[in-house]
Structure formats: structure tokens, C-alpha cells
Amino acid sequence: MWSSAIEDAIEKVRKNIDRFGGRFPHVSMNGTYQLNNNDDWTNGFWSGMLWLCYEYTQDESFRIAATHTVEDFRRRFAAKTVLDHHDIGFLYSLSSKAQWIIDKDESARQLTLQAADLLLKRWRTGGGYIQAWGPVGDAQEGGRIIIDCLLNLPLLYWAEQQTGDSLYRQVAVMQADKTKRYLVRGDDSSYHTFFFDQMTGEPIGGATHQGYTNGSTWTRGQAWGVYGFALSYRYTKDPLYLETSKRMARYFLEHLPQDHVAYWDFNAPVSADTYRDSSASAIVAAGLQELLELMDKEDPERAYFQQGLLQSMTSLVQNYSTIGEDAEGLLKHGSYHVRGDLSPDDFMIWGDYFYLEALLRLQKGSRGYWYER
Ligand code: GLY
């Protein structure tokens, strides 16, 4: 089943290279991807998919398309086009860092290091956190961290490995610690975002942006936690991060509906019309594989996580994928921002990316581009 899902996905990506014509997919509306000129937080996922397809097929056409996206990311960096947010990590890990990992291209390495420096500038010394969104010191957004940032930290850990400058790692560790302390709750659920006093770092309180309520658990946020803490453990070997990833994964799996694919928020009232977020389950499917690789081989919970992974992946492939359909996306029923009425039931490019990463990992043991192999 995994091979045919991969083959189908690869042919869709191949078709999309022409369809997208050098522009970048974000989320779809009624099945058609909205394209942009590399000015959103999601643009790295398309680049990452092209690199994954190249690694799997060794087909030069994927490599050429992927390299073009990296050139675009170079232009974006020079022009500083919409880079005043922490998702610099998503953007440059899956584009230029991927090129460095695969091709050992020195200019791609340099671009990635510059991106890491830009991310570092979002560190708020007074407050003691990486500011998620908006211009640094912004009156409204200046005090906010969000759980998604965990996937941006590998850029900093990697930069420390490359340069030997411990500042990158110190910042990443302080951010991961703060995320664990303030965004992960005692019952292993999570806040999406948390506010601090910008000057003193005094905690103010948890809040949501894309979830159901401030105190609810937005499933994609929980998914970023599962994968993100596993990655922080990969780089630091701090057992607290491994434990946190496991706790969050357990919560995620225990709260899934019968078909093993998440609704958009664990606290949203469930009826026949409640939206799913297949992208959250795809992120967790990739994250669980990272977790399983890092866990002790004798850990009694291995079988539980393994079963959760296979149940989710089987359902994604059988009930949510576009196998056999002439579609642009790979994974149906993702939700970007349900309350904001932004693509509540469509393709999400990150859902497609993590679905492909998870499939390739299952089938070939290959990985994404969050760390050097
Ligand atoms: N990182 C933004 C999102 O997951 O929608």
C-alpha cells in the first residue's frame, strides 16, 4: 500500500511542477491550490516535496525544480519579503538546508546560515523567548510565543553544529524549555500560544489563534509539539524533551476519533459536520517515526506508538488521500483556520509534505530535512 501511495504522490508532484509554473502552493480552495510568489510561511513545503521526490526517484527534473525554488528563496532573503516571523525555520530547513544536505552545495549552506541569523534576531532578551509573529517589539504581537516554533528550532541547532557558535543552541534550548513550561499543560494537552510581558518576561497567559477556545487543544499545535520535542531531543539528548514528545503523542492518539484521523481541535463539539485536520495527523505520523527511532528499543510503549502510527497512516492513505484521482493535492480534509473561515476543508501544502515525508520514511527509512543524516 505504501509503494502505490508514494508512486501516486510522485506523479502528482510531477504534474504540479508545470501546473504551478514556478509559483508556490499554499492551501487550496475547492480543490485548486492558491499560488503565490514565495511570500508566505508555507513556501518551504513545496521545495521540500520536490527534494523528497528527487531523493526517491533520482529524476533530474525534480532536482532542477527544487533548485529553482532555492534560487527563489535566495531572492526572498535578499529582499526580506515577509520574513518578519519565526517560520524562517520552516522556509529554509526544507529548501536551502535540504539542498545542502543532498548536494553539499556551499552557497545553500551559507544562505541557510544567514536564515538562522535572521531567526536569532527574533530572540527577545528581556522577555526570554523567540517572538513568533510581527515586527520585533510589536505592541500587539511582541509578547507571543507559539507551539509551532518547535519546528523552527532545528535551524538553530543545525547552525550551532555548522559554526560551533553555541548561541544558536542556547536560544533553541531556552525556547524549547519555555514552550514545555508554558504551552504544555499538566494533562499533556497544549495551548496554541502564550503571552509574556515583553520587558520582564512575566507570564501573562495562554491563548489560541487557530483553535476552538483559548483553553482548548488545537490538534495541529499538539502535532507540532509531538514532532518538535522529538527533534529537540534528537539534537540535545535532553530526556525531558523525549518524555514531552511521548506525553503529547499519547494525548494525541488517545483523543482520536474512530477513523484515527484528528478533528481540527480536540475540544470542538463533534457532529457530522465537524472538520478534520488531516494535516495534523500527517505531522504526527512523521513525528511518531522520529520518536520511535529515538526511543529506547526496550521501551514498553513502543508497540502502542507503532500501532498508532500504522492506524493513522492506513486511514490517511485509504480515506483521505487522493490516490487514483486527478487532483492537485495529496491529502484531503486539512483545515487551516476553521474559525477564521480560511480553507477549513481543503488541501494544505504542509499536510501534503508531511504525508509524503511519513510515507517515504515508512517505506524507505528516508527522512525529511530537519537534521543532517
Ligand atoms: N504554523 C501555522 C499553522 O500551523 O497553521
PDB file of all heavy atoms in Angstrom, residues 41 87 90 146 148 210 218 220 224 336 350, ligand 1:
ATOM      1  N   TRP A  41       4.329  31.724   4.807  1.00  0.00           N
ATOM      2  CA  TRP A  41       5.123  30.871   5.715  1.00  0.00           C
ATOM      3  C   TRP A  41       5.231  29.441   5.206  1.00  0.00           C
ATOM      4  O   TRP A  41       6.030  28.654   5.708  1.00  0.00           O
ATOM      5  CB  TRP A  41       4.511  30.881   7.127  1.00  0.00           C
ATOM      6  CG  TRP A  41       3.215  30.122   7.266  1.00  0.00           C
ATOM      7  CD1 TRP A  41       1.962  30.610   7.007  1.00  0.00           C
ATOM      8  CD2 TRP A  41       3.028  28.759   7.664  1.00  0.00           C
ATOM      9  NE1 TRP A  41       1.018  29.626   7.221  1.00  0.00           N
ATOM     10  CE2 TRP A  41       1.637  28.488   7.628  1.00  0.00           C
ATOM     11  CE3 TRP A  41       3.896  27.733   8.050  1.00  0.00           C
ATOM     12  CZ2 TRP A  41       1.107  27.239   7.963  1.00  0.00           C
ATOM     13  CZ3 TRP A  41       3.359  26.487   8.387  1.00  0.00           C
ATOM     14  CH2 TRP A  41       1.993  26.251   8.342  1.00  0.00           C
ATOM     15  N   ASP A  87       8.790  31.626  11.228  1.00  0.00           N
ATOM     16  CA  ASP A  87       8.717  30.477  10.316  1.00  0.00           C
ATOM     17  C   ASP A  87       9.843  30.450   9.282  1.00  0.00           C
ATOM     18  O   ASP A  87       9.838  29.608   8.367  1.00  0.00           O
ATOM     19  CB  ASP A  87       7.334  30.411   9.654  1.00  0.00           C
ATOM     20  CG  ASP A  87       6.268  30.024  10.664  1.00  0.00           C
ATOM     21  OD1 ASP A  87       6.594  29.243  11.577  1.00  0.00           O
ATOM     22  OD2 ASP A  87       5.138  30.513  10.568  1.00  0.00           O
ATOM     23  N   PHE A  90      10.884  26.898   9.029  1.00  0.00           N
ATOM     24  CA  PHE A  90      10.176  26.049   8.056  1.00  0.00           C
ATOM     25  C   PHE A  90      10.687  26.345   6.644  1.00  0.00           C
ATOM     26  O   PHE A  90      10.890  25.443   5.832  1.00  0.00           O
ATOM     27  CB  PHE A  90       8.673  26.358   8.068  1.00  0.00           C
ATOM     28  CG  PHE A  90       7.881  25.692   9.161  1.00  0.00           C
ATOM     29  CD1 PHE A  90       7.225  26.437  10.121  1.00  0.00           C
ATOM     30  CD2 PHE A  90       7.749  24.313   9.199  1.00  0.00           C
ATOM     31  CE1 PHE A  90       6.459  25.830  11.106  1.00  0.00           C
ATOM     32  CE2 PHE A  90       6.979  23.691  10.180  1.00  0.00           C
ATOM     33  CZ  PHE A  90       6.341  24.463  11.130  1.00  0.00           C
ATOM     34  N   ILE A 146       4.500  30.742  20.108  1.00  0.00           N
ATOM     35  CA  ILE A 146       3.524  29.731  19.690  1.00  0.00           C
ATOM     36  C   ILE A 146       4.209  28.372  19.554  1.00  0.00           C
ATOM     37  O   ILE A 146       5.405  28.278  19.280  1.00  0.00           O
ATOM     38  CB  ILE A 146       2.752  30.123  18.402  1.00  0.00           C
ATOM     39  CG1 ILE A 146       3.602  30.031  17.146  1.00  0.00           C
ATOM     40  CG2 ILE A 146       2.152  31.506  18.500  1.00  0.00           C
ATOM     41  CD1 ILE A 146       2.774  30.227  15.883  1.00  0.00           C
ATOM     42  N   ASP A 148       4.115  26.098  17.382  1.00  0.00           N
ATOM     43  CA  ASP A 148       4.634  25.768  16.047  1.00  0.00           C
ATOM     44  C   ASP A 148       6.142  26.035  15.949  1.00  0.00           C
ATOM     45  O   ASP A 148       6.844  25.434  15.137  1.00  0.00           O
ATOM     46  CB  ASP A 148       3.941  26.583  14.957  1.00  0.00           C
ATOM     47  CG  ASP A 148       2.448  26.798  15.187  1.00  0.00           C
ATOM     48  OD1 ASP A 148       2.033  26.795  16.352  1.00  0.00           O
ATOM     49  OD2 ASP A 148       1.720  26.993  14.205  1.00  0.00           O
ATOM     50  N   GLN A 210      -5.662  29.688  16.209  1.00  0.00           N
ATOM     51  CA  GLN A 210      -6.433  28.886  15.258  1.00  0.00           C
ATOM     52  C   GLN A 210      -7.312  27.814  15.919  1.00  0.00           C
ATOM     53  O   GLN A 210      -7.974  27.062  15.230  1.00  0.00           O
ATOM     54  CB  GLN A 210      -5.495  28.234  14.238  1.00  0.00           C
ATOM     55  CG  GLN A 210      -5.068  29.195  13.144  1.00  0.00           C
ATOM     56  CD  GLN A 210      -3.634  28.940  12.696  1.00  0.00           C
ATOM     57  OE1 GLN A 210      -2.697  29.319  13.397  1.00  0.00           O
ATOM     58  NE2 GLN A 210      -3.463  28.295  11.564  1.00  0.00           N
ATOM     59  N   TRP A 218      -5.762  22.739  20.138  1.00  0.00           N
ATOM     60  CA  TRP A 218      -5.777  22.774  18.671  1.00  0.00           C
ATOM     61  C   TRP A 218      -4.927  21.584  18.212  1.00  0.00           C
ATOM     62  O   TRP A 218      -3.762  21.447  18.626  1.00  0.00           O
ATOM     63  CB  TRP A 218      -5.168  24.094  18.226  1.00  0.00           C
ATOM     64  CG  TRP A 218      -5.043  24.330  16.764  1.00  0.00           C
ATOM     65  CD1 TRP A 218      -6.016  24.222  15.829  1.00  0.00           C
ATOM     66  CD2 TRP A 218      -3.861  24.769  16.076  1.00  0.00           C
ATOM     67  NE1 TRP A 218      -5.517  24.569  14.592  1.00  0.00           N
ATOM     68  CE2 TRP A 218      -4.198  24.902  14.716  1.00  0.00           C
ATOM     69  CE3 TRP A 218      -2.561  25.061  16.479  1.00  0.00           C
ATOM     70  CZ2 TRP A 218      -3.289  25.310  13.759  1.00  0.00           C
ATOM     71  CZ3 TRP A 218      -1.653  25.470  15.525  1.00  0.00           C
ATOM     72  CH2 TRP A 218      -2.013  25.587  14.185  1.00  0.00           C
ATOM     73  N   ARG A 220      -3.421  20.663  15.519  1.00  0.00           N
ATOM     74  CA  ARG A 220      -2.145  20.839  14.803  1.00  0.00           C
ATOM     75  C   ARG A 220      -1.060  21.356  15.747  1.00  0.00           C
ATOM     76  O   ARG A 220       0.110  21.013  15.601  1.00  0.00           O
ATOM     77  CB  ARG A 220      -2.306  21.746  13.583  1.00  0.00           C
ATOM     78  CG  ARG A 220      -1.099  21.657  12.672  1.00  0.00           C
ATOM     79  CD  ARG A 220      -1.378  22.009  11.229  1.00  0.00           C
ATOM     80  NE  ARG A 220      -1.636  23.402  11.013  1.00  0.00           N
ATOM     81  CZ  ARG A 220      -2.812  23.923  10.670  1.00  0.00           C
ATOM     82  NH1 ARG A 220      -3.878  23.145  10.535  1.00  0.00           N
ATOM     83  NH2 ARG A 220      -2.950  25.216  10.476  1.00  0.00           N
ATOM     84  N   TRP A 224       2.537  19.729  16.297  1.00  0.00           N
ATOM     85  CA  TRP A 224       3.863  20.385  16.260  1.00  0.00           C
ATOM     86  C   TRP A 224       4.655  20.020  17.512  1.00  0.00           C
ATOM     87  O   TRP A 224       5.883  19.865  17.470  1.00  0.00           O
ATOM     88  CB  TRP A 224       3.719  21.909  16.163  1.00  0.00           C
ATOM     89  CG  TRP A 224       3.115  22.475  14.899  1.00  0.00           C
ATOM     90  CD1 TRP A 224       2.139  23.449  14.837  1.00  0.00           C
ATOM     91  CD2 TRP A 224       3.440  22.177  13.518  1.00  0.00           C
ATOM     92  NE1 TRP A 224       1.838  23.739  13.522  1.00  0.00           N
ATOM     93  CE2 TRP A 224       2.618  22.983  12.691  1.00  0.00           C
ATOM     94  CE3 TRP A 224       4.331  21.288  12.909  1.00  0.00           C
ATOM     95  CZ2 TRP A 224       2.661  22.934  11.289  1.00  0.00           C
ATOM     96  CZ3 TRP A 224       4.375  21.237  11.512  1.00  0.00           C
ATOM     97  CH2 TRP A 224       3.553  22.051  10.731  1.00  0.00           C
ATOM     98  N   TYR A 336      -7.005  24.815   7.702  1.00  0.00           N
ATOM     99  CA  TYR A 336      -6.018  25.848   8.023  1.00  0.00           C
ATOM    100  C   TYR A 336      -6.473  26.625   9.260  1.00  0.00           C
ATOM    101  O   TYR A 336      -5.782  26.686  10.261  1.00  0.00           O
ATOM    102  CB  TYR A 336      -5.845  26.774   6.815  1.00  0.00           C
ATOM    103  CG  TYR A 336      -4.749  27.806   6.960  1.00  0.00           C
ATOM    104  CD1 TYR A 336      -3.728  27.657   7.897  1.00  0.00           C
ATOM    105  CD2 TYR A 336      -4.720  28.926   6.135  1.00  0.00           C
ATOM    106  CE1 TYR A 336      -2.715  28.598   8.018  1.00  0.00           C
ATOM    107  CE2 TYR A 336      -3.714  29.872   6.247  1.00  0.00           C
ATOM    108  CZ  TYR A 336      -2.719  29.702   7.190  1.00  0.00           C
ATOM    109  OH  TYR A 336      -1.720  30.643   7.304  1.00  0.00           O
ATOM    110  N   TRP A 350       1.440  21.835   3.659  1.00  0.00           N
ATOM    111  CA  TRP A 350       2.233  21.154   4.707  1.00  0.00           C
ATOM    112  C   TRP A 350       1.654  19.763   5.006  1.00  0.00           C
ATOM    113  O   TRP A 350       2.406  18.868   5.373  1.00  0.00           O
ATOM    114  CB  TRP A 350       2.323  22.010   5.989  1.00  0.00           C
ATOM    115  CG  TRP A 350       1.010  22.296   6.623  1.00  0.00           C
ATOM    116  CD1 TRP A 350       0.348  21.547   7.544  1.00  0.00           C
ATOM    117  CD2 TRP A 350       0.164  23.415   6.347  1.00  0.00           C
ATOM    118  NE1 TRP A 350      -0.858  22.125   7.862  1.00  0.00           N
ATOM    119  CE2 TRP A 350      -0.993  23.277   7.149  1.00  0.00           C
ATOM    120  CE3 TRP A 350       0.270  24.533   5.515  1.00  0.00           C
ATOM    121  CZ2 TRP A 350      -2.039  24.209   7.131  1.00  0.00           C
ATOM    122  CZ3 TRP A 350      -0.772  25.449   5.499  1.00  0.00           C
ATOM    123  CH2 TRP A 350      -1.898  25.288   6.293  1.00  0.00           C
TER     124      TRP A 350
HETATM  125  N1  GLY B   1       2.274  27.265  11.614  1.00  0.00           N
HETATM  126  C1  GLY B   1       0.989  27.723  11.247  1.00  0.00           C
HETATM  127  C2  GLY B   1      -0.012  26.645  11.143  1.00  0.00           C
HETATM  128  O1  GLY B   1       0.241  25.509  11.513  1.00  0.00           O
HETATM  129  O2  GLY B   1      -1.092  26.937  10.675  1.00  0.00           O
END
